[in-house]
Amino acid sequence: MVGAGLAGVRAGEALRALGFSGALTVVSDEAELPYDRPPLTKQVVAGTLTADDIRLAGAEDFGARWVRGTAAVGLDRERRRVRLAGGAELRYDGLVLATGARARAWPGEVPAGVLTVRGLADVRALRAAVDGGAREVVVVGAGFVGVELASSLVGLGLGVRVTLVEPFGRPLRALGGTVPDVVAGAARRAGVVLRLGIGVTGFRAEGARVAGVELAAGRVLPAEVAVVAIGMAPATGWLTGAGLALPGGRVHCDERLFARTAGTAGVAEAAGVVDPRIVVAGDVARCDAVRSADGPVALEHWSNAAAQGELAARNLLAGPAGAEPYVHVPSFWTSAFGLRIKSVGLPGTGDRVVAEEGEPGTEKLVEAHYREGRLVGAVSVNLGKRLAGYARRLQEEQGAAGVSGEALARVSGEVAAGGGAAG
């Protein structure tokens, strides 16, 4: 397995639980023991959880050989070899690709003090700067990571002044409806300064360190620390030349999570066929089974990584002939500025939003998202228990599409467990 996040750990656990007794190797470019990422931008930044608190339980219990602090740098599918930094190679009979994603870096050079946040080392660097006296923090990007960080930093009680910049006009805009406006109002009440609908052009330095964030309108925001939170980039650069399809940087896999080929010139295989020895799971996957009316949708949710990791292991052992399709009702939750926000389905893909509980724009609300009259998702603010019914409706639609009862039972268990956090 390449990747030791949630998807990789769940795959390792499942392989052993399903009776695989062979050699199992896990490659991770982080030296850390496997840990849960969603708490990083919330409880770990806030100081209410430590690194030890977020370790993934069971990661050390499935009898694997761990290769930590060493990145995979190449894949030779013909010889069935994973090449590591330093030149060593690992042979495989079956391979789980679960390398996840990295924080998208700012294009171009940046001065010291311009950070991204994806892993434990990033959070430690941010807290070291704030604990060392930095009080002017600018967060660039108001997606889940940016909003969670702004909430955590302003709540530290250290007098940190946080400015949140978002060029697209609303925080958490992917949720649609009035929820982004609710988040914006709560952020302002918490003391965060919002700069919405304006882009960032670069950073100003004094000496070698950041001193300001340059806005498109020409203004410069003072900054002792700037956090770039402009999305994630799939960690698939090491797969270049491996003959796998990589649309948008993610590994294309079929509905059973087997990797699809690219049909590269000079390689004796057609495009789109599956490699029966390679399965894909988590943030790195672009799965044919996860789709809106517009086509496959990539998910960066905790619950998706957990569910795909388990099924990827099951299907790798079963082979294509005995493999099951991936069935999953997307779900996540996040918290910021005193709001607990939950979602099921794909709310950002609808064409109509209906407030079905509470009043639009209030802090107790359920909004359902429909496309051509069909439910595609729902979002709640401080009314998370209400989403169980919407999840069941989405699950029933998958059943109507011919999904097996066993697969639906697993989905029901995922929904009952509450989904997973964003971030």
Side-chain angles (χ1 to χ4, degrees):
M1 294 191 303
V2 183
L6 179 66
V9 169
R10 290 290 183 269
E13 292 174 332
L15 285 168
R16 293 307 192 200
L18 292 166
F20 177 71
S21 59
L24 181 57
T25 301
V26 183
V27 177
S28 173
D29 60 358
E30 288 189 273
E32 302 277 356
L33 292 169
Y35 57 88
D36 217 5
R37 293 189 188 275
L40 290 175
T41 51
K42 298 183 284 289
Q43 296 96 327
V44 179
V45 170
T48 58
L49 292 180
T50 68
D52 289 338
D53 296 325
I54 65 171
R55 300 297 179 198
L56 284 173
E60 298 289 273
D61 299 335
F62 52 82
R65 172 198 173 199
W66 289 84
V67 180
R68 294 198 188 96
T70 303
V73 296
L75 172 63
D76 185 332
R77 291 195 299 118
E78 184 176 355
R79 297 173 54 239
R80 301 206 306 271
R81 299 287 192 277
V82 172
R83 188 170 70 256
L84 305 181
E89 291 187 335
L90 299 174
R91 182 184 178 279
Y92 67 86
D93 293 313
L95 177 62
V96 179
L97 297 180
T99 46
R102 295 187 173 89
R104 194 177 299 278
W106 186 260
E109 295 292 325
V110 296
V114 177
L115 311 175
T116 57
V117 174
R118 177 64 176 173
L120 265 171
D122 303 323
V123 170
R124 288 171 178 145
L126 177 59
R127 276 307 305 257
V130 172
D131 293 341
R135 292 295 175 263
E136 294 284 356
V137 179
V138 176
V139 179
V140 181
F144 291 106
V145 169
V147 166
E148 290 167 359
L149 283 172
S151 176
S152 298
L153 290 168
V154 80
L156 285 175
L158 299 176
V160 178
R161 295 175 292 278
V162 179
T163 301
L164 185 58
V165 184
E166 172 53 60
F168 292 105
R170 301 205 298 169
L172 302 189
R173 64 188 178 93
L175 295 178
T178 68
V179 173
D181 300 322
V182 174
V183 174
R188 291 188 178 100
R189 288 190 293 275
V192 174
V193 176
L194 298 182
R195 300 293 183 190
L196 304 177
I198 187 168
V200 170
T201 58
F203 302 92
R204 186 163 296 184
E206 289 184 2
R209 189 164 186 85
V210 67
V213 174
E214 299 173 347
L215 302 182
R219 182 175 177 182
V220 177
L221 302 175
E224 296 168 273
V225 173
V227 182
V228 175
I230 55 175
M232 299 295 169
T236 55
W238 68 285
L239 293 172
T240 301
L244 297 179
L246 303 173
R250 287 181 166 82
V251 184
H252 187 191
C253 56
D254 74 354
E255 69 279 358
R256 303 161 300 172
L257 304 180
F258 288 100
R260 288 194 180 277
T261 61
T264 307
V267 178
E269 61 185 3
V273 301
V274 301
D275 187 322
R277 295 181 181 271
I278 302 178
V279 288
V280 193
D283 293 358
V284 76
R286 181 181 181 270
C287 177
D288 285 342
V290 182
R291 57 195 309 122
S292 72
D294 299 318
V297 176
L299 296 178
E300 296 178 355
H301 299 164
W302 187 99
S303 60
N304 179 68
Q308 283 191 345
E310 180 181 347
L311 184 64
R314 182 186 301 273
N315 285 349
L316 185 61
L317 295 181
E324 301 175 17
Y326 180 59
V327 181
H328 178 69
V329 175
S331 60
F332 76 87
W333 67 266
T334 189
S335 57
F337 309 116
L339 307 175
R340 190 169 179 87
I341 300 166
K342 291 189 176 184
S343 170
V344 294
L346 300 171
T349 65
D351 56 26
R352 184 169 64 98
V353 180
V354 180
E356 299 196 343
E357 292 196 51
E359 292 295 326
T362 65
E363 293 189 0
K364 282 195 174 182
L365 174 70
V366 176
E367 291 185 332
H369 294 239
Y370 296 89
R371 181 161 182 159
E372 297 179 353
R374 183 176 64 88
L375 179 71
V376 295
V379 183
S380 69
V381 179
N382 296 330
L383 288 175
K385 292 182 179 179
R386 306 290 204 276
L387 291 193
Y390 293 94
R392 283 192 293 271
R393 288 168 59 185
L394 293 166
Q395 178 183 334
E396 288 165 1
E397 286 190 10
Q398 291 182 324
V403 177
S404 72
E406 182 181 351
L408 284 174
R410 281 200 299 274
V411 172
S412 183
E414 294 163 12
V415 172

